[in-house]
Each structure stands twice: as structure tokens, then as C-alpha cells.
Amino acid sequence: MAGNDWKKRLGVVYSTNPDFKYTEAVQAEEETLPPSAQRLIVAIDRRQRAGKQVTLVKGFKGSSSDLAALAKALKVKCGVGGTAKDGEITVQGDLRDKVVAILQGMGYNAKRGN
């Protein structure tokens, strides 16, 4: 069943060829830049979160596994929860100054946003 993901084939027209095999275009993940070449913006967000504040880290260029590893390191050092998806790291709470200090200590070029 894992190979029969119909959601990826929504735009495909029906084929009468019994030997037709649908192939997906594989996108290569972009190469992760070194920390000194990254320009990260650390901002706060309150929208659509029931009034709760979260710290967003935007601007990461690289693979999703490296993004997840950086998010895990930030969450562990801050002692809070969060997530990493769509090229952004979300850390629960208003921890902009602490996150900027941690990222700069890791060698990233991080700036505090709003």
C-alpha cells in the first residue's frame, strides 16, 4: 500500500495501457550551506496560536534532516518543545535572545527580527 499513494497522482489522466507505470519526479534536496554562510532571522509570532508566543527561525538553507537536527539542538538547549517544517524552526515561547545567542555560539549568522 505504501507504493500506491493516490494523492501524488491527482493530476494524472487515466491510461488504457496495461503496462503503464507511473513514475514520480524525484526532487533532490538542496545542499546544506556551512553555518557561517547561513543568514537566519529569529522572530516572534503570535498569529493563529490562541495568543501563545512562539519563536521562529527563518532562512535556513539545507536538507530537512539538517534542519531537524538544528531544531532538536535548539529545543534541548532551551528546554522547550517545538517543531521543524517548511524550512522554519518553531520553538515554544518568547526565547529570541536565547536562540540568537545559541545560534551565534554554533557559528551561524543569526539576527533578531521583530
Side-chain angles (χ1 to χ4, degrees), residues 100-114:
V100 168
I102 292 170
L103 288 171
Q104 288 175 346
M106 295 171 82
Y108 287 92
N109 183 9
K111 285 175 53 176
R112 183 176 172 189
N114 56 349

Side-chain angles (χ1 to χ4, degrees), residues 62-73:
S63 67
S64 58
S65 60
D66 291 335
L67 179 68
L70 179 61
K72 182 169 176 72

Side-chain angles (χ1 to χ4, degrees), residues 45-98:
D45 188 25
R46 295 182 191 92
R47 281 180 260 153
Q48 299 176 349
R49 303 185 198 281
K52 308 281 188 204
Q53 299 176 346
V54 295
T55 303
L56 294 177
V57 179
K58 301 176 186 177
F60 185 82
K61 305 280 190 232
S63 67
S64 58
S65 60
D66 291 335
L67 179 68
L70 179 61
K72 182 169 176 72
L74 288 176
K75 292 187 300 181
V76 167
K77 290 183 179 184
C78 292
V80 296
T83 185
K85 59 183 173 183
D86 300 330
E88 286 185 347
I89 299 173
T90 304
V91 178
Q92 294 175 351
D94 184 6
L95 301 169
R96 289 176 287 185
D97 297 328
K98 189 172 185 177

